[in-house]
Amino acid sequence: MEPIWARIDGGFWHAYQTLVRERVLPHQWKAMNDEIPGAPKSNSLQNFRIAAGLARGSHEGMVFQDSDLAKWLEAVGYVLMGDSEGAPAVREHAREAVDLIAAAQQPDGYVNTFFTARQPGRRWTNLRDAHELYCSGHLIEAGVSMFRGAGDGKLLAVVRRLADQIDATFGVEEGKIRGYPGHEEVELALIKLYRLTGEQRYLQRARYFIDERGRNPNFFESEAKAPGFVSIFGAKPLDYYQAHLPVREQREATGHAVRAMYLYTAMADLVLETGDPSLREACDRLWESTTGRKMYVTGGIGSSAVRESFGADFDLPNDTAYAETCAAIGLFFFASRMVRIHHEARYADVMERCLYNGILSGISLDGESYFYVNPLEVVPAVCDRNGTYQSVKYRRQPWYGCACCPPNVARLLASLGEYVYHLQGDTLYADLYHEGILSAELGGLPVTVRQKTGYPRSDSITFEIEPASTAEFTLALRIPAWCRKPALALNGSAAKAAAGADGYTRVRRIWRKSDRLQLTLPMTAARIYADPRVRADYGKAAIQRGPLIYCLEEVDNGPALFRVRLPSNAPLAVEERPDLLGGIPTITATGKSPPPGSSGDGLYSERNSDLPLVDRPLLFIPYYAWANRAPGEMLVWVRE
Amino acid sequence: MEPIWARIDGGFWHAYQTLVRERVLPHQWKAMNDEIPGAPKSNSLQNFRIAAGLARGSHEGMVFQDSDLAKWLEAVGYVLMGDSEGAPAVREHAREAVDLIAAAQQPDGYVNTFFTARQPGRRWTNLRDAHELYCSGHLIEAGVSMFRGAGDGKLLAVVRRLADQIDATFGVEEGKIRGYPGHEEVELALIKLYRLTGEQRYLQRARYFIDERGRNPNFFESEAKAPGFVSIFGAKPLDYYQAHLPVREQREATGHAVRAMYLYTAMADLVLETGDPSLREACDRLWESTTGRKMYVTGGIGSSAVRESFGADFDLPNDTAYAETCAAIGLFFFASRMVRIHHEARYADVMERCLYNGILSGISLDGESYFYVNPLEVVPAVCDRNGTYQSVKYRRQPWYGCACCPPNVARLLASLGEYVYHLQGDTLYADLYHEGILSAELGGLPVTVRQKTGYPRSDSITFEIEPASTAEFTLALRIPAWCRKPALALNGSAAKAAAGADGYTRVRRIWRKSDRLQLTLPMTAARIYADPRVRADYGKAAIQRGPLIYCLEEVDNGPALFRVRLPSNAPLAVEERPDLLGGIPTITATGKSPPPGSSGDGLYSERNSDLPLVDRPLLFIPYYAWANRAPGEMLVWVRE
């Protein structure tokens, strides 16, 4: 099932995609070439040169450094889709990168700079730690994207040979390694390659990796006992790798959050391809665990910095949050598959929650600095001085020694056109509102569907339907859960807008040229409450308007944000601020706070020196836009 | 200045001292002999046997394992003080230990099992990490204590030779190592040894270590550049070791909290011996930083598990608190010196705060299990699943791989008689109320002062003064800061009880035999508020009665304690519970909470499903007594 693509050509996301093409990809190319003064070294390109025999030296950086370049190339493929003559400098860099990867490929198809340059005899001997299959997966995704977007078959040929080598190496058949990766990724990549090429072996190998995972005796335990096994990151509990149980028996999202998401995404992809009911049930359970009990209001997941992992149900601390950018991207992927399985808007609601909040916070407005960790509460002095907060940064960084997130944001933003619609039979589901155009076959005829909207800054979306001639099909429009009173007009006349049980409002008709459908999703600034089992949010509210979660920043509101109280009846006013942070709707309110600089009768006393409270004007900005001005405190959940 | 000692012979602390003699020391001896099934191995005794050539094998455990045995021996010395024929089994074990230490001493006086057994050529080559001077300091303290308490000169002779070897090795003189310890301790130990022996060299060497610390060029940086330097724990920021500045220039409590306290204690000891004004000013500043901005309400300090360190001012998280038992003990030591410098009750108030709360929480009621970390809020499911909380235990442990705290509690409890009074001229300051007897020279005559009290369970303390004949001197009674309305009666007649600016109420007279002074310190259950700059406690209250901080436990109050609200006007009732936890005064109140088991409309929704609140009966117990029943949640700071 190949995805359908819309070209995003205006509005909020087009600006980000332009940023990716013009600023992000060139910046990241420099970073991967170690050309950004003061930033941690990447060595990504240099490692490929060394592995290809084109440079001398030793492999440097993380064992999975190849994947940064792969994700960057994948992003390039999306950028060039429908614009294969654009971005000449980026195309030239991409050509250089593809040539290097091809040159570093071994005669049997194997590609991995760490093992090729450093430990050629030790390939595939540490699946638990060494990330070879993970890097291979990202290379495969890059090959698919570069072929689709740029029509470049060179990398596709490389990654097919790589996939063939993997297929020949792993499996239950005699003489093969009966293992699976410590960091999932190759599974979903092989399914992508299968979808592009139609080659069943790739689908079967993905299914093998999924089915084999977590069986008894445990592969990682056996592998670690092999003579000469060399640990890289040390043994961790098996649920860290989601290898504690066969995947169909897993009921709770556990361990490393990114790994979990890439696995669940692949499982859902396999359901889409095979319909496997027990696998679908596992996906449903893991979805409920992830999004019903372990997700931040921003769509961030993985609450613990220690092992970048899920915690217990409802353990969602705001100031020590990990909420890795990659994990929110992974949840977006998982959600995008779930909506295609179930055709229920609530899955796309999560895509939207992740995208506008926990993913977009991972990149600065200028595209050249990044967050790996996305806290919901920050006090800089505490982060500077208390090692418990050592992962939490309050300034985005130009690069990271472990730089998985920056190119992951780039590829996700560049690929958004793949996720805005999905198709089931002759029903076209509009999942993410955007300005752009889709060309698809609907009701047996070529149709273009154009969306025009300033969403999420404005609340109105116009659909212009242009069938080649008249065509009967259904347009299903997602009514976000946050929207109480949607309105719909067909060619100027009001139509039924209420969503069905699946969260979509449907318009089925014989569409004619120039049909116009106008959807209005009134956005009111609202208080959001967490389930009272969430300790960190208890007695607090978050502010949301449309898909955007808001926050307070010190630069607007002064320090000691933890003392702000927002009375439950304080009006929330929306105020457009074209001057601020690229033009954003802000939300203002009058809160309460003790006077600034108030202090106690000593550190502890019987007098509550907090009182009396005085009015405090508050300015909320969208969470994704924080940390683009003077560094300071930030707070999402405000006490009520 | 040798301390004056009271014999504690009844009441609250006598019960603990009996526990130390009867249960704690035998249990810890077993632990150090690796005889407790399931507990982490200590190897303390075995390491000495190996270093003495009496057993084969390799040194195991932490590099500072010798110090556990030293602190245990120090505790034995205190236990035997005035009871040198008591505790025969413990005495026999102590004799065995002293013989082993003597046998492990090298011909030149050096004692350290790690280097003797493992790296004999590398002595004194890593002062930053290797804890040789730290272990030496604890051995010296043990030698002093065993001589004082048990009249045992054997260990004293050993540690004098050790101190002489240290004196010959370190200093500014040519040929000596111009270094100082990564973990302070030897400084205060050398001053103790000086006080016992009158040997000036020990005082001078302590002064050298203090004066040299933090000078430029930094010794730890030079040391780490020496050829063949082998790091053990890795380089840390210099303020971790309080070696970032000369001590007289330090203005903020930084780094590893236990190290800081042992340093500040030694600095204050040096002030007591020399009167050095610039050092006194440094002590005053570091005191204000520690207790004015970085101390938990329990007297715990060092809020971060990462590097066991101080954080920023007012950064006192409750659930990720470190608050190591040893650090509270260190603060008790520092406070005990400060009260002797300044003769102000507020220093003894901190001694009391530490003792009854953050120290006593480190040991179970049965004396056989311990907390290293003393959080003020615990949710077991979170501790089990989120690695950020990995140091936080909700069950006391029988022993630790790094077992500094258990023998530290033992020696502190056993030595309490040293801290209950101090003397300045002919003023006897009563700092800690207890049941016991002091024999001292006052007004030029032998006098015995007996205290009788059930404190802190009761609020009345009777002083029976028995001079050899009439004697004129001042008795200064500490009025704790928590006590609003003290009352005093002299031989049955009311006397002025209000404290002076120094926090003491003074009675000066010509004392006669059978004079009776009765002090009443009415204890009301009160709400305590933190300075509003303490983010973690904002909007919350802690309950205190007398010197005891209280907490809620799940076993009494059910789960989800974070949802409990205690209205600011809810009455607090004191209820004696002789059946509970050894007989404690509990505090009851009616709080508010959402109904148990309440949940939200999904993880996030616009409805505040927390409401309506219902009454919830609350039972508070003293903080020190938590975790002695069924494991569960615990909470000190309750939202108001």
Side-chain angles (χ1 to χ4, degrees):
Chain A
M1 196 179 76
E2 277 281 88
I4 55 172
W5 275 80
R7 167 195 280 276
I8 293 172
D9 57 7
F12 189 86
W13 291 116
H14 182 62
Y16 269 100
Q17 292 193 334
T18 304
L19 189 73
V20 168
R21 192 180 63 225
E22 306 292 334
R23 302 284 295 274
V24 177
L25 291 175
H27 172 87
Q28 297 192 350
W29 178 257
K30 272 194 208 162
M32 291 187 300
N33 278 283
D34 311 315
E35 290 168 2
I36 297 180
K41 285 223 169 195
S42 160
N43 299 287
S44 283
L45 271 297
Q46 185 66 2
N47 287 339
F48 272 104
R49 285 185 201 105
I50 292 165
L54 302 170
R56 285 166 173 277
S58 63
H59 181 283
E60 298 289 341
M62 310 297 286
V63 70
F64 45 77
Q65 219 70 341
D66 293 0
S67 60
D68 297 340
L69 182 61
K71 281 186 270 191
W72 183 88
L73 273 171
E74 187 187 342
V76 172
Y78 300 130
V79 162
L80 298 180
M81 193 162 290
D83 183 24
S84 59
E85 298 306 305
V90 166
R91 268 190 294 132
E92 183 52 37
H93 295 325
R95 192 153 31 232
E96 181 185 338
V98 170
D99 288 348
L100 271 177
I101 294 168
Q105 186 164 40
Q106 300 300 292
D108 65 352
Y110 181 86
V111 185
N112 184 286
T113 66
F114 177 85
F115 285 95
T116 301
R118 239 200 236 187
Q119 304 189 343
R122 301 200 57 79
R123 282 182 187 188
W124 308 131
T125 59
N126 183 347
L127 300 187
R128 189 191 75 190
D129 295 345
H131 285 70
E132 286 158 288
L133 287 166
Y134 169 83
C135 290
S136 299
H138 279 303
L139 282 168
I140 291 167
E141 287 200 272
V144 170
S145 167
M146 285 294 286
F147 178 78
R148 279 218 206 108
D152 184 338
K154 181 166 184 176
L155 188 58
L156 181 63
V158 167
V159 305
R160 286 197 67 157
R161 291 182 58 221
L162 171 59
D164 292 342
Q165 206 269 336
I166 290 167
D167 180 47
T169 303
F170 296 94
V172 297
E173 300 85 355
E174 207 178 315
K176 289 185 169 184
I177 301 170
R178 195 160 171 175
Y180 43 84
H183 195 315
E184 304 90 329
E185 154 66 22
V186 74
E187 303 85 347
L188 71 86
L190 285 169
I191 297 173
K192 263 193 186 176
L193 187 60
Y194 156 73
R195 286 174 181 158
L196 180 69
T197 63
E199 177 59 73
Q200 284 284 336
R201 283 185 300 119
Y202 302 143
L203 180 65
Q204 295 316 320
R205 198 48 57 208
R207 188 207 296 249
Y208 155 78
F209 282 128
I210 290 168
D211 288 351
E212 190 64 23
R213 191 166 207 90
R215 284 186 194 273
N216 240 331
N218 188 277
F219 175 75
F220 295 140
E221 294 181 342
S222 317
E223 182 188 56
K225 288 180 197 137
F229 175 82
V230 180
S231 171
I232 301 175
F233 298 115
K236 300 190 169 64
L238 288 173
D239 70 356
Y240 170 81
Y241 318 95
Q242 299 78 44
H244 53 304
L245 285 171
V247 300
R248 286 172 183 76
E249 296 171 30
Q250 297 190 22
R251 304 186 155 268
E252 185 178 356
T254 64
H256 188 271
V258 179
R259 293 174 201 237
M261 289 306 110
Y262 288 7
L263 170 64
Y264 306 164
T265 299
M267 288 163 63
D269 272 333
L270 201 57
V271 170
L272 284 167
E273 297 303 331
T274 67
D276 182 332
S278 63
L279 202 56
R280 184 173 58 225
E281 285 159 20
C283 286
D284 291 347
R285 287 193 304 265
L286 293 166
W287 174 266
E288 289 309 321
S289 172
T290 303
T291 64
R293 298 187 292 278
K294 301 195 179 195
M295 179 182 71
Y296 286 98
V297 73
T298 56
I301 53 171
S303 59
S304 178
V306 178
R307 297 198 285 261
E308 308 183 313
S309 281
F310 285 107
D313 287 349
F314 306 109
D315 173 30
L316 295 163
N318 292 308
D319 58 353
T320 61
Y322 202 67
E324 183 182 340
T325 306
C326 284
I329 292 171
L331 177 53
F332 179 94
F333 290 153
F334 183 27
S336 73
R337 272 61 165 187
M338 291 299 276
V339 76
R340 283 158 176 75
I341 292 174
H342 291 288
H343 312 291
E344 292 179 22
R346 63 194 181 104
Y347 299 101
D349 284 351
V350 170
M351 294 168 67
E352 188 175 72
R353 183 187 294 279
C354 295
L355 187 58
Y356 284 99
N357 303 290
I359 294 173
L360 207 51
S361 62
I363 185 167
S364 62
L365 293 179
D366 72 2
E368 297 189 352
S369 64
Y370 310 94
F371 275 138
Y372 191 113
V373 169
N374 295 278
L376 284 80
E377 177 174 5
V378 164
V379 179
V382 168
C383 297
D384 287 341
R385 299 290 297 277
N386 185 335
T388 300
Y389 300 84
Q390 62 198 350
S391 308
V392 177
K393 309 293 178 201
Y394 49 90
R395 289 185 183 91
R396 290 188 185 77
Q397 311 285 306
W399 203 247
Y400 289 83
C402 168
C404 47
C405 299
N408 216 351
V409 173
R411 70 165 180 153
L412 188 275
L413 294 177
S415 72
L416 278 183
E418 177 173 340
Y419 299 101
V420 295
Y421 291 104
H422 82 276
L423 199 54
Q424 180 201 28
D426 66 358
T427 299
L428 179 67
Y429 290 89
D431 292 323
L432 295 175
Y433 299 111
H434 64 281
E435 179 143 329
I437 187 158
L438 171 80
S439 300
E441 195 178 288
L442 293 167
L445 278 176
V447 180
T448 64
V449 180
R450 162 164 284 288
Q451 284 189 44
K452 287 185 174 168
T453 184
Y455 189 94
R457 287 176 188 142
S458 72
D459 60 6
S460 169
I461 307 112
T462 302
F463 290 81
E464 300 175 357
I465 323 291
E466 300 287 346
S469 62
T470 56
E472 182 170 6
F473 63 92
T474 301
L475 192 55
L477 308 176
R478 180 177 64 95
I479 306 301
W482 50 259
C483 183
R484 292 273 176 268
K485 291 183 179 166
L488 196 62
L490 179 61
N491 296 324
S493 305
K496 177 178 160 293
D502 63 358
Y504 291 95
T505 190
R506 285 159 195 272
V507 183
R508 183 170 187 89
R509 66 189 247 110
I510 299 167
W511 297 91
R512 297 165 200 287
K513 289 194 183 209
S514 302
D515 271 349
R516 295 286 175 274
L517 196 59
Q518 183 159 9
L519 175 67
T520 307
L521 300 170
M523 296 180 183
T524 48
R527 288 169 174 78
I528 301 296
Y529 298 93
D531 184 292
R533 289 169 288 187
V534 181
R535 186 167 55 111
D537 303 338
Y538 188 74
K540 298 176 183 170
I543 303 302
Q544 180 168 1
R545 177 177 177 270
L548 301 179
I549 302 297
Y550 279 70
C551 69
L552 296 172
E553 272 199 303
E554 182 175 347
V555 65
D556 301 311
N557 298 284
L561 296 176
F562 66 90
R563 294 204 295 238
V564 169
R565 282 174 201 152
L566 182 63
S568 62
N569 58 357
L572 304 174
V574 178
E575 189 182 336
E576 289 291 337
R577 286 286 298 272
D579 58 310
L580 199 63
L581 295 164
I584 52 162
T586 61
I587 295 172
T588 59
T590 300
K592 298 272 184 193
S593 216
S598 61
S599 63
D601 293 351
L603 186 50
Y604 302 106
S605 80
E606 291 187 30
R607 189 171 74 83
N608 184 350
S609 50
D610 183 35
L611 303 169
L613 300 177
V614 298
D615 280 356
R616 180 165 175 172
L618 300 176
L619 176 73
F620 292 84
I621 62 160
Y623 172 75
Y624 76 80
W626 86 279
N628 280 288
R629 294 172 293 166
E633 291 184 30
M634 184 276 290
L635 186 73
V636 170
W637 289 96
V638 180
R639 68 182 72 216
E640 191 158 82
Chain B
M1 196 177 77
E2 277 280 89
I4 54 173
W5 277 80
R7 167 193 281 276
I8 294 171
D9 58 8
F12 190 85
W13 291 116
H14 182 62
Y16 270 99
Q17 291 193 335
T18 305
L19 190 72
V20 168
R21 192 180 63 225
E22 306 293 333
R23 301 284 296 273
V24 177
L25 291 175
H27 172 87
Q28 297 193 351
W29 178 258
K30 273 194 208 161
M32 291 188 300
N33 279 284
D34 311 316
E35 290 168 1
I36 297 180
K41 284 224 170 195
S42 160
N43 299 286
S44 284
L45 272 297
Q46 185 65 4
N47 287 338
F48 272 102
R49 285 185 201 106
I50 292 165
L54 303 171
R56 286 167 173 276
S58 62
H59 181 284
E60 299 288 340
M62 310 297 286
V63 69
F64 43 79
Q65 220 69 342
D66 292 1
S67 60
D68 296 342
L69 182 60
K71 281 185 271 191
W72 183 88
L73 273 170
E74 187 187 341
V76 173
Y78 301 131
V79 163
L80 298 181
M81 193 161 292
D83 184 25
S84 59
E85 299 307 304
V90 165
R91 268 189 295 132
E92 182 52 37
H93 295 325
R95 194 156 26 234
E96 180 185 339
V98 169
D99 288 347
L100 271 177
I101 294 168
Q105 186 166 39
Q106 300 300 291
D108 65 353
Y110 180 86
V111 184
N112 184 287
T113 66
F114 178 84
F115 285 95
T116 301
R118 236 199 239 186
Q119 304 190 343
R122 301 199 57 78
R123 282 184 187 187
W124 308 131
T125 58
N126 184 347
L127 299 188
R128 190 191 73 191
D129 296 346
H131 286 68
E132 286 158 288
L133 286 166
Y134 169 84
C135 289
S136 298
H138 279 303
L139 283 168
I140 291 168
E141 287 201 272
V144 170
S145 167
M146 285 294 287
F147 178 76
R148 279 217 207 109
D152 184 338
K154 180 166 185 175
L155 188 58
L156 181 63
V158 167
V159 305
R160 285 195 67 155
R161 290 181 58 221
L162 172 59
D164 293 341
Q165 206 269 334
I166 290 168
D167 181 47
T169 304
F170 295 94
V172 298
E173 300 85 356
E174 207 177 316
K176 288 185 169 184
I177 300 171
R178 195 160 171 174
Y180 43 84
H183 196 315
E184 303 90 329
E185 155 65 22
V186 74
E187 302 87 346
L188 71 86
L190 285 169
I191 297 173
K192 264 193 187 177
L193 187 59
Y194 155 73
R195 286 176 180 158
L196 180 70
T197 63
E199 177 59 72
Q200 283 285 335
R201 283 185 300 117
Y202 302 144
L203 179 65
Q204 295 315 320
R205 199 48 57 209
R207 187 208 297 252
Y208 155 78
F209 281 128
I210 290 169
D211 288 351
E212 190 62 24
R213 191 166 206 89
R215 284 185 194 274
N216 240 332
N218 188 277
F219 174 74
F220 295 141
E221 293 181 343
S222 316
E223 181 189 57
K225 288 180 196 138
F229 175 83
V230 180
S231 171
I232 300 174
F233 298 115
K236 299 192 170 63
L238 288 173
D239 71 355
Y240 170 81
Y241 317 95
Q242 300 80 43
H244 54 303
L245 284 172
V247 299
R248 287 172 182 75
E249 295 170 31
Q250 296 189 22
R251 303 185 156 271
E252 185 179 355
T254 64
H256 188 271
V258 179
R259 293 174 201 238
M261 289 306 108
Y262 287 7
L263 170 64
Y264 306 164
T265 299
M267 288 164 62
D269 272 333
L270 201 56
V271 170
L272 285 167
E273 297 303 332
T274 67
D276 182 332
S278 63
L279 202 56
R280 184 173 57 225
E281 285 159 21
C283 286
D284 290 347
R285 287 194 304 266
L286 293 167
W287 174 267
E288 289 310 319
S289 172
T290 302
T291 63
R293 300 187 291 278
K294 300 195 178 195
M295 179 183 71
Y296 286 99
V297 72
T298 55
I301 53 170
S303 59
S304 179
V306 177
R307 298 199 284 263
E308 309 183 312
S309 282
F310 284 107
D313 286 349
F314 307 108
D315 174 29
L316 295 163
N318 293 309
D319 58 353
T320 62
Y322 202 67
E324 183 182 340
T325 305
C326 285
I329 292 172
L331 176 54
F332 178 94
F333 290 153
F334 183 27
S336 72
R337 274 61 167 185
M338 293 298 277
V339 76
R340 283 157 176 74
I341 292 174
H342 291 288
H343 312 291
E344 292 178 22
R346 64 194 181 103
Y347 298 102
D349 284 351
V350 170
M351 292 169 68
E352 187 175 73
R353 185 187 292 279
C354 295
L355 187 58
Y356 284 99
N357 303 290
I359 294 173
L360 208 50
S361 62
I363 185 167
S364 63
L365 293 179
D366 72 2
E368 297 190 353
S369 63
Y370 309 93
F371 275 138
Y372 191 113
V373 169
N374 295 278
L376 285 79
E377 177 174 5
V378 163
V379 180
V382 168
C383 296
D384 287 341
R385 300 289 298 275
N386 185 336
T388 299
Y389 300 84
Q390 62 198 352
S391 307
V392 177
K393 309 291 179 204
Y394 49 90
R395 288 185 183 91
R396 290 189 185 76
Q397 312 287 304
W399 203 247
Y400 289 84
C402 168
C404 47
C405 298
N408 217 351
V409 173
R411 69 165 180 153
L412 188 275
L413 294 177
S415 71
L416 278 183
E418 177 173 339
Y419 299 101
V420 294
Y421 290 104
H422 81 276
L423 196 56
Q424 181 202 25
D426 66 357
T427 300
L428 178 68
Y429 289 88
D431 292 323
L432 295 175
Y433 298 112
H434 65 281
E435 179 144 328
I437 188 158
L438 171 79
S439 301
E441 195 179 287
L442 293 167
L445 279 175
V447 179
T448 64
V449 180
R450 164 164 285 288
Q451 285 188 43
K452 287 186 172 168
T453 183
Y455 189 94
R457 287 173 189 145
S458 72
D459 59 7
S460 170
I461 306 111
T462 302
F463 290 80
E464 300 174 358
I465 321 291
E466 301 286 347
S469 63
T470 56
E472 181 169 7
F473 62 91
T474 302
L475 192 55
L477 308 176
R478 180 177 63 96
I479 306 303
W482 51 258
C483 183
R484 293 272 176 267
K485 291 184 178 165
L488 195 61
L490 178 62
N491 296 324
S493 306
K496 178 178 159 290
D502 63 358
Y504 291 96
T505 190
R506 283 158 197 272
V507 183
R508 182 170 187 88
R509 66 188 247 111
I510 298 168
W511 297 91
R512 297 167 200 284
K513 289 194 186 207
S514 302
D515 271 349
R516 295 286 176 274
L517 195 60
Q518 182 159 11
L519 174 68
T520 308
L521 299 170
M523 296 181 183
T524 48
R527 289 170 174 77
I528 301 296
Y529 299 93
D531 184 293
R533 289 170 287 188
V534 181
R535 187 167 55 111
D537 303 338
Y538 190 73
K540 299 177 182 169
I543 303 302
Q544 181 168 0
R545 178 177 177 271
L548 301 179
I549 302 296
Y550 279 69
C551 69
L552 296 172
E553 272 199 302
E554 182 175 347
V555 64
D556 301 311
N557 298 284
L561 296 177
F562 65 90
R563 293 203 297 237
V564 169
R565 281 172 204 158
L566 181 64
S568 62
N569 58 357
L572 304 174
V574 178
E575 190 182 335
E576 289 291 338
R577 286 286 297 273
D579 58 310
L580 199 62
L581 294 163
I584 52 162
T586 62
I587 295 172
T588 58
T590 301
K592 298 273 183 190
S593 215
S598 61
S599 63
D601 293 351
L603 187 50
Y604 302 107
S605 80
E606 291 187 30
R607 189 171 74 83
N608 184 350
S609 49
D610 183 35
L611 303 168
L613 300 176
V614 299
D615 280 356
R616 180 167 175 169
L618 301 176
L619 176 73
F620 292 85
I621 63 160
Y623 172 74
Y624 76 79
W626 86 279
N628 279 288
R629 294 173 293 165
E633 291 184 32
M634 184 276 290
L635 186 73
V636 170
W637 289 96
V638 180
R639 67 183 72 216
E640 192 159 80

